[in-house]
Amino acid sequence: MSRQKIVVIGAGIVGASLAYQLAKRNQDVTVIERHPAAAREVTEKSFAWIHTTHRVAPEYRHLYDAAVEEYHALQQELSELPIHWQGALTWGNSTPEENFRFQQLNREQLEVLEPHLKEYPDEAMFASEEGALDPIKVTELLLNKAQEYGAKIQFDTNATQLQQENSHLIGIHTSKGFLESDVVVLASGTNVTELCEPIGLSVPVTASPSILIRMKSVHRLIHTLISNAQFEARQLTDHTMLAAEDYIDESEENGPEAIGKRAFQTLRRSLKGGEQLELESIKVGMRPMPEDGYPIVGFDDHIKGLYLTVMHSAITLAPLIARLAASELIDREPKSELEACRLSRF
């Protein structure tokens, strides 16, 4: 396929991964981002767990099975990629996928692995291959590498309207003018519905809020990623701890601020040295959630030149899906791995 003008809307981890893969293969890539910097929407507020061992529908299992290997391959290309393969420790919550990835650890093993816990379960499951990352640093690195390959990044630029002639998309209007394109890739999270509605395309994606709590720690209190019925937490660095909580509503009792403060107090009580934790911020991320919970990826069947990349979990799947999507965009041959991800399934 000849060199194409490809406009990527969104500079979160999905858009950055796509820009990197496309620019690396000599495409004319422009990334549009409405914020003044990358990863300032849901990516910034992500717990950023590379989580592959939870239960998923069989037709999507292969994507999660390949996600960790894809990250390792990316690290071979980009040795500075900030990923921490510390493993994930779970107990007392939802039943995980039953497969070979888990080790069952007893109490004594848990005390060695996580010496700062005040209480231990009799046993827990340890997924040693799982990890977590710094979502902002990873996104910025991917965009920087894309730029080294010739990609252009336009920050502080709103994508306002897709422009089509007959059934072909010819470009996009932005707050800084019109951009002509051979393909527009929508990696804009929940904003995808707003952009697609005026051209008569319904994309069943809604905002699924989640809460991220950021704390200062004097030193590292958690060595793995811990997910249990009481808390979900990990160290981002030796001096920063993250916790994730489910969003309930905006009430005083169960709003993000209240939930965040309760999670903070739980960690202070649950960890030796936890009393030294300091609450830094409580933020809500609006995750783009397809109606069935699985990625929507691919060319639209009716509007030529429009490609969708909307997904949860973006952190886990972005590098893999970006590589596969780049192949579809450049070679114009559908990838069987993405067959279950098409918009036409709805």
Side-chain angles (χ1 to χ4, degrees):
M1 189 73 188
S2 60
R3 195 167 192 253
Q4 303 173 90
K5 288 183 179 179
I6 301 177
V7 179
V8 178
I9 311 299
I13 194 164
V14 177
S17 298
L18 273 158
Y20 171 68
Q21 294 291 344
L22 290 165
K24 189 173 67 169
R25 293 188 60 182
N26 195 37
Q27 300 302 293
D28 182 353
V29 179
T30 302
V31 179
I32 301 300
E33 171 56 51
R34 63 181 178 177
H35 291 282
R40 290 301 182 263
E41 290 277 359
V42 67
T43 299
E44 176 193 39
K45 303 167 187 75
S46 171
F47 188 54
W49 180 1
I50 303 171
H51 189 15
T52 64
T53 48
H54 59 298
R55 291 185 180 277
V56 299
E59 58 267 39
Y60 299 97
R61 184 70 256 170
H62 65 283
L63 294 173
Y64 289 86
D65 286 344
V68 167
E69 185 180 342
E70 190 72 29
Y71 265 111
H72 284 297
L74 192 59
Q75 277 191 304
Q76 290 294 313
E77 293 179 31
L78 307 173
S79 59
E80 64 271 50
L81 199 68
I83 304 175
H84 308 288
W85 298 108
Q86 74 273 57
L89 200 56
T90 61
W91 70 87
N93 44 19
S94 58
T95 306
E97 186 80 29
E98 292 178 11
N99 56 37
F100 65 92
R101 291 186 183 87
F102 283 105
Q103 263 180 284
Q104 191 166 302
L105 302 184
N106 60 33
R107 183 188 176 99
E108 289 73 26
Q109 291 169 310
L110 293 173
E111 289 176 359
V112 172
L113 192 61
E114 289 291 358
H116 291 103
L117 289 174
K118 287 184 178 178
E119 294 182 2
Y120 295 89
D122 291 331
E123 62 180 30
M125 305 304 290
F126 183 53
S128 59
E129 73 163 29
E130 292 192 334
L133 50 83
D134 184 320
I136 296 175
K137 287 184 178 178
V138 167
T139 301
E140 289 175 341
L141 175 63
L142 289 167
L143 281 177
N144 289 338
K145 293 298 180 181
Q147 285 180 295
E148 289 177 14
Y149 283 111
K152 300 173 285 291
I153 319 292
Q154 293 187 13
F155 291 115
D156 287 316
T157 304
N158 278 312
T160 55
Q161 185 181 348
L162 296 165
Q163 181 67 48
Q164 60 177 331
E165 283 185 3
N166 300 318
S167 62
H168 200 289
L169 205 65
I170 60 169
I172 186 157
H173 295 276
T174 79
S175 56
K176 294 183 179 176
F178 181 71
L179 279 174
E180 185 183 353
S181 68
D182 295 306
V183 182
V184 173
V185 179
L186 296 183
S188 52
T190 55
N191 192 44
V192 68
T193 54
E194 184 182 331
L195 285 170
C196 287
E197 279 175 7
I199 60 171
L201 183 62
S202 176
V203 184
V205 172
T206 55
S208 173
S210 62
I211 303 169
L212 184 72
I213 303 100
R214 189 180 180 105
M215 294 152 279
K216 293 178 182 176
S217 59
V218 175
H219 53 85
R220 186 174 290 269
L221 299 178
I222 295 175
H223 298 282
T224 64
L225 183 154
I226 299 177
S227 177
N228 59 43
Q230 284 72 48
F231 63 85
E232 191 166 274
R234 70 180 183 93
Q235 297 277 166
L236 179 66
T237 68
D238 286 348
H239 302 292
T240 301
M241 185 182 292
L242 301 179
E245 289 291 332
D246 292 332
Y247 176 92
I248 299 177
D249 55 39
E250 288 291 335
S251 67
E252 187 174 342
E253 182 183 358
N254 289 316
E257 193 74 14
I259 289 174
K261 287 179 178 176
R262 286 201 292 269
F264 169 62
Q265 293 300 335
T266 296
L267 284 162
R268 282 171 62 90
R269 291 192 303 269
S270 301
L271 298 168
K272 298 169 187 172
E275 68 281 355
Q276 296 178 340
L277 289 171
E278 294 180 31
L279 183 60
E280 190 173 321
S281 66
I282 300 167
K283 295 182 178 180
V284 177
M286 304 303 285
R287 299 172 299 185
M289 188 66 69
E291 191 175 275
D292 61 1
Y294 295 105
I296 300 173
V297 184
F299 284 106
D300 180 64
D301 291 339
H302 307 290
I303 303 170
K304 293 178 182 177
L306 178 63
Y307 195 94
L308 300 171
T309 54
V310 190
M311 70 197 73
H312 178 75
S313 158
I315 294 294
T316 299
L317 297 176
L320 173 65
I321 286 183
R323 180 177 58 79
L324 295 170
S327 183
E328 289 195 330
L329 284 157
I330 297 167
D331 303 328
R332 295 302 173 105
E333 291 182 4
K335 302 294 289 185
S336 60
E337 296 97 324
L338 296 175
E339 185 178 349
C341 299
R342 308 309 185 193
L343 177 63
S344 57
R345 74 181 185 269
F346 295 102

